[in-house]
């Protein structure tokens, strides 16, 4: 705990343009914790290099991800916003935890299996040990709560296993973190293939709605969303496309499934898709405007990065002192 507040930590990779999956599954929920918890929200650039990145793009996206955090409502005065590589303790604890994470555990990670299947020419050691670095991110800050989409559940369980193993050997070093996975929006699906996750690394642009897409683009993408050959807007097994659109609409409007079914009774999918597109575009319009304003002020973003890194480093240092001592490193 920092002061008397519990700790929240989460991270987003600057590895592509952020999607409404990232927004609804993670970032939109972050600001709800700002008053009650001390929150650390990190741009995890060390994670991003597990896949090959173009240096200039990685740099630009690091600024953009930070700007999006703020544009999505995270006040830099109330949250610690920072870039992972600015706090070397992440890499240091990541290495240490590699030595307490088993080969078999890492081999079972579905994200590793998926990403190595998609990137057969670059199955590097970092891609494999990625979850130990994620465990380090979380455990460094004695985190209580980690808001993420459901795809990260397995990594969180591994984090808890590694913390339990380490604490079992050395006494209580790390706080045991819990995940916070939203009930609605935990897994937004692709608009082109609603049986797979909407992923910012999907090469099919029509599958993804980006947070920064303009209104016309948002409306066009929803208009083209894959549905089914029926006409009834309702949630049912086998209606993956409509189920996904109902989830998205519910996240943006707060409406329940029953309310949505009533609203679109007797109307076709065309009307429904238009309404989903409008709700999405309207809610994201202020985010887009604030993002543009922030990106025009790099000096401001750099100030935030610097202040955030200093705050994070001072908290991380406390954990690192304890870890080094327990392991037996000479001071
Ligand atoms: P990729 O899809 O390229 O693997 P990613 O978007 O999953 O990348 P991150 O940028 O690190 O990877 O994800 C940031 C947060 O967004 C995580 O908490 C993750 O669970 C969440 N998230 C990502 N995609 C979705 C989605 N489709 N639905 C809900 N949450 C998501
Ligand atoms: N692994 C996550 C990103 C991530 C993260 C974290 C999330 C890295 N470190 C710490 C929460 C807490 C992903 O791929 N979506």
């Amino acid at each position: 705990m920092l002061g008397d507040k519990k700790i929240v930590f989460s991270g987003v990779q600057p590895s592509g343009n952020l999607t409404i999956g990232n927004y609804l599954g993670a970032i939109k929920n972050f600001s709800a914790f700002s008053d009650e918890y001390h929150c650390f929200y990190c741009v995890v650039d060390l994670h991003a290099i597990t896949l090959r990145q173009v240096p200039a793009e990685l740099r630009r996206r690091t600024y953009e991800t930070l700007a999006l955090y703020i544009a999505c409502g995270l006040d830099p005065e109330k949250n610690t916003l920072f870039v992972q590589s600015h706090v070397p303790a992440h890499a240091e604890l990541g290495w240490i935890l590699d030595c307490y994470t088993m080969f078999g555990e890492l081999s079972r990670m579905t994200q590793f299996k998926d990403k190595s299947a998609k990137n057969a020419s670059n199955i590097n050691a970092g891609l494999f040990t990625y979850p130990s670095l994620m465990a380090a991110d979380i455990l460094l800050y004695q985190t209580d709560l980690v808001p993420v989409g459901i795809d990260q559940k397995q990594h969180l369980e591994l984090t808890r296993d590694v913390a339990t193993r380490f604490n079992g050997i050395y006494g209580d070093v790390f706080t045991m973190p819990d995940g916070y996975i939203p009930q609605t929006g935990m897994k937004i699906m692709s608009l082109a293939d609603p049986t797979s996750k909407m992923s910012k690394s999907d090469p099919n642009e029509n599958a993804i709605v980006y947070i920064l897409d303009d209104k016309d683009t948002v409306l066009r993408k929803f208009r083209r969303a894959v549905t089914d050959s029926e006409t009834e807007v309702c949630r049912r097994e086998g209606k993956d496309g409509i189920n996904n659109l109902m989830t998205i609409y519910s996240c943006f409007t707060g409406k329940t499934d029953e309310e949505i079914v009533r609203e679109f009774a007797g109307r076709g999918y065309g009307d429904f898709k238009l309404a989903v597109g409008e709700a999405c575009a309207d809610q994201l319009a202020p985010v887009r405007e604030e993002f543009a304003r922030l990106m025009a002020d790099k000096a401001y973003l750099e100030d935030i990065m610097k202040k955030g890194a200093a705050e994070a480093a001072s908290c991380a240092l406390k954990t690192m002192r304890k870890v080094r001592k327990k392991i037996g490193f000479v001071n």
Side-chain angles (χ1 to χ4, degrees), residues 154 190 233 236 281 283:
Q154 200 184 27
S190 153
V233 175
R236 201 191 303 137
Q283 194 166 121

Side-chain angles (χ1 to χ4, degrees), residues 9-11 13 44 47 111 130 134 137-138 146 148 152 155:
F9 183 99
S10 197
Q13 301 184 60
V44 290
H47 280 90
Q111 182 173 300
Y130 177 117
M134 176 163 163
D137 299 339
I138 295 167
V146 185
V148 280
Q152 295 306 308
H155 290 161

Side-chain angles (χ1 to χ4, degrees), residues 48-54 119 121-122 124:
I49 63 165
T50 54
L51 301 183
R52 201 68 73 221
Q53 304 292 335
V54 176
N119 301 279
S121 61
N122 183 24
N124 59 72

Side-chain angles (χ1 to χ4, degrees), residues 30-199:
F30 288 176
S31 58
F33 300 103
S34 302
D35 287 326
E36 220 182 303
Y37 292 80
H38 187 113
C39 299
F40 293 89
Y41 294 119
C42 185
V43 181
V44 290
D45 54 352
L46 297 176
H47 280 90
I49 63 165
T50 54
L51 301 183
R52 201 68 73 221
Q53 304 292 335
V54 176
E57 283 180 12
L58 179 62
R59 200 168 292 118
R60 174 174 53 78
R61 287 187 171 130
T62 301
Y63 282 93
E64 287 178 354
T65 307
L66 181 73
L68 266 178
Y69 274 167
I70 303 169
C72 291
L74 292 176
D75 178 350
E77 297 298 322
K78 282 173 46 184
N79 302 275
T80 300
L81 308 179
F82 72 107
V83 176
Q84 190 184 26
S85 66
H86 292 176
V87 181
H90 288 256
E92 187 181 358
L93 186 61
W95 168 256
I96 292 171
L97 295 185
D98 275 345
C99 304
Y100 296 81
T101 310
M102 299 302 133
F103 182 86
E105 288 175 316
L106 292 171
S107 309
R108 284 194 288 276
M109 296 293 115
T110 53
Q111 182 173 300
F112 171 70
K113 290 186 218 167
D114 288 352
K115 294 211 168 171
S116 47
K118 283 186 194 147
N119 301 279
S121 61
N122 183 24
I123 306 176
N124 59 72
L127 192 66
F128 188 63
T129 61
Y130 177 117
S132 316
L133 180 60
M134 176 163 163
D137 299 339
I138 295 167
L139 300 176
L140 252 185
Y141 299 95
Q142 306 294 346
T143 301
D144 296 283
L145 208 59
V146 185
V148 280
I150 200 155
D151 60 319
Q152 295 306 308
K153 191 164 177 247
Q154 200 184 27
H155 290 161
L156 280 177
E157 280 161 5
L158 182 65
T159 300
R160 291 170 59 90
D161 290 344
V162 171
T164 303
R165 183 171 300 134
F166 199 94
N167 286 351
I169 303 171
Y170 301 108
D172 279 345
V173 177
F174 297 126
T175 301
M176 198 56 63
D178 284 310
Y180 175 91
I181 296 173
Q183 284 235 310
T184 314
M186 61 169 90
K187 191 174 186 189
I188 300 299
M189 310 306 274
S190 153
L191 296 191
D193 171 12
T195 59
S196 67
K197 190 189 91 157
M198 183 182 288
S199 166

